[in-house]
Amino acid sequence: MRRTRRCRIRSFRAEWPKWCSRRRRNQKVLDEAVETVRTAKMMECCVELYERLLGYTKGTEFHREVLARCLVLFEKAESSGIVSADLYLAWARVLLHQRRKADEAKEVLQRATSQFPSEGALWVERIQLTANDSPELLQGLVQQAQSSVPSQETEALWKSAVDAAQPEGKLCILEAASRSTSEVVASWAKEALLRLVAESKGIADVRKTFRKFCRTGKCPLSVYEAYVDQEVALGSPDLRRCRAALEEALLHYANCTSLWLRYIRLEVSSGDPARLGELHWRATKALPADVLEQFSVLYSRETVAENHD
């Protein structure tokens, strides 16, 4: 084994001058390419090669030189007005891979979002870099971003903020997201908030949070189901509260097969045949005719499975 290692070291030492010579030739080609064809596409190609070189030269005498040339290339692209959103992302990525460069990366991304405000990926990267900031600053950044990015990308912004936030700030950010005008964002945030409150505070606070959601008006179906899931997770759920939540959900979603089946599963576990029969009858009256056959099959599976258990 020692002999094999010595052979590798000798081989590496023999190849090292050749590798250095190739690297210098490649560097010269890159420099000429940038000076001759100064376009955004050429810059992106050169940066991609530089990023590879940074990986290859890590731990060698050339790493610092490659890094310096790469950063100069970014600055040239920006000063020439040919920097793209992807180039800004690569710039931040290169800075973040170096020690003590996070502040510089923040500055780069701030300029990037000013120049490309509709690029969600830039905002996500910028939000993730604010992990040590206060929840209020994170919220402000997300609200600034969502006024510029396409509506379908706003959920990713809030999720990034929650991921970036310190544990004590996650609740604050989710509460803000739950008030979003985007139904998709508000629904996701309310479900996530119920789960997080259950983990950090307990079922009493989950109930308070759910009641607060209900007071603001109709909740998404998934929020009613998420609340019932938290009650059932106790092992001995408060059936009165679960039934009240599901009954309220039925006021808005009576034509939803999955909701009736969710309610039926609860009653099956409670062991009350009379309630189960009444619920089945109500479901057949409320559901559209074209789903009744499927509902009957699923209902039979739920009840038969419980009887077997």
Side-chain angles (χ1 to χ4, degrees):
M1 190 171 181
R2 287 181 180 176
R3 184 179 298 173
T4 303
R5 187 182 175 192
R6 283 198 297 269
C7 289
R8 286 177 180 171
I9 292 172
R10 282 199 297 270
S11 175
F12 177 77
R13 286 174 177 168
E15 291 294 323
W16 178 248
K18 296 178 185 177
W19 188 92
C20 293
S21 176
R22 285 197 302 270
R23 194 209 64 77
R24 289 192 178 92
R25 287 199 302 272
N26 292 340
Q27 183 66 63
K28 186 178 179 182
V29 170
L30 279 175
D31 292 343
E32 290 176 356
V34 169
E35 292 301 324
T36 306
V37 188
R38 189 168 287 193
T39 63
K41 187 65 178 175
M42 177 58 73
M43 290 289 185
E44 287 174 14
C45 290
C46 290
V47 164
E48 185 180 345
L49 290 172
Y50 269 122
E51 286 192 274
R52 290 183 189 174
L53 278 173
L54 283 171
Y56 296 151
T57 60
K58 191 172 182 179
T60 72
E61 61 189 87
F62 294 110
H63 186 76
R64 188 177 297 177
E65 180 189 341
V66 173
L67 174 62
R69 286 177 176 273
C70 187
L71 294 177
V72 166
L73 186 62
F74 287 127
E75 290 166 4
K76 279 184 179 179
E78 189 174 40
S79 63
S80 302
I82 55 174
V83 65
S84 62
D86 287 339
L87 210 54
Y88 269 126
L89 279 172
W91 193 347
R93 188 166 58 239
V94 168
L95 287 169
L96 287 171
H97 285 167
Q98 314 308 313
R99 291 181 180 177
R100 299 183 295 278
K101 295 287 187 180
D103 288 340
E104 290 183 42
K106 281 184 181 181
E107 291 174 8
V108 166
L109 288 169
Q110 190 170 352
R111 298 198 300 273
T113 51
S114 295
Q115 189 165 342
F116 300 99
S118 63
E119 288 289 337
L122 291 172
W123 285 105
V124 166
E125 199 71 33
R126 188 176 167 190
I127 288 166
Q128 289 173 346
L129 273 178
T130 59
N132 295 322
D133 292 346
S134 69
E136 291 75 19
L137 285 174
L138 268 174
Q139 286 178 47
L141 191 57
V142 173
Q143 287 161 354
Q144 181 187 350
Q146 70 177 359
S147 65
S148 303
V149 304
S151 57
Q152 63 268 25
E153 295 184 31
T154 55
E155 185 179 2
L157 298 175
W158 284 106
K159 286 183 176 180
S160 296
V162 172
D163 291 341
Q166 300 297 322
E168 62 275 11
K170 292 183 186 293
L171 285 171
C172 183
I173 292 171
L174 282 171
E175 285 175 1
S178 71
R179 298 188 293 270
S180 172
T181 54
S182 165
E183 289 185 11
V184 173
V185 171
S187 176
W188 161 78
K190 287 173 180 177
E191 290 177 59
L193 189 57
L194 287 173
R195 289 193 296 271
L196 189 57
V197 169
E199 293 170 8
S200 59
K201 297 186 177 181
I203 194 64
D205 285 279
V206 171
R207 290 165 182 166
K208 288 179 186 176
T209 303
F210 177 67
R211 285 198 298 271
K212 182 173 70 175
F213 291 158
C214 292
R215 283 196 296 270
T216 61
K218 172 186 171 183
C219 286
L221 174 59
S222 58
V223 174
Y224 291 108
E225 293 177 329
Y227 166 69
V228 173
D229 286 342
Q230 294 304 326
E231 289 282 359
V232 171
L234 294 173
S236 54
D238 187 324
L239 292 175
R240 179 182 63 82
R241 293 178 188 275
C242 290
R243 286 167 181 153
L246 291 169
E247 287 293 345
E248 183 172 341
L250 285 171
L251 293 175
H252 308 292
Y253 306 102
N255 62 346
C256 180
T257 303
S258 64
L259 177 59
W260 286 104
L261 291 169
R262 183 73 185 79
Y263 202 165
I264 285 164
R265 272 198 299 279
L266 179 73
E267 294 300 352
V268 166
S269 64
S270 73
D272 188 336
R275 277 187 176 275
L276 190 59
E278 179 191 355
L279 198 57
H280 177 262
W281 180 83
R282 288 173 58 196
T284 58
K285 298 300 179 184
L287 288 169
D290 59 343
V291 301
L292 284 178
E293 183 177 351
Q294 181 191 23
F295 169 74
S296 296
V297 172
L298 294 172
Y299 172 81
S300 299
R301 287 179 185 170
E302 294 288 348
T303 53
V304 168
E306 180 65 21
N307 289 333
H308 281 308
D309 290 344

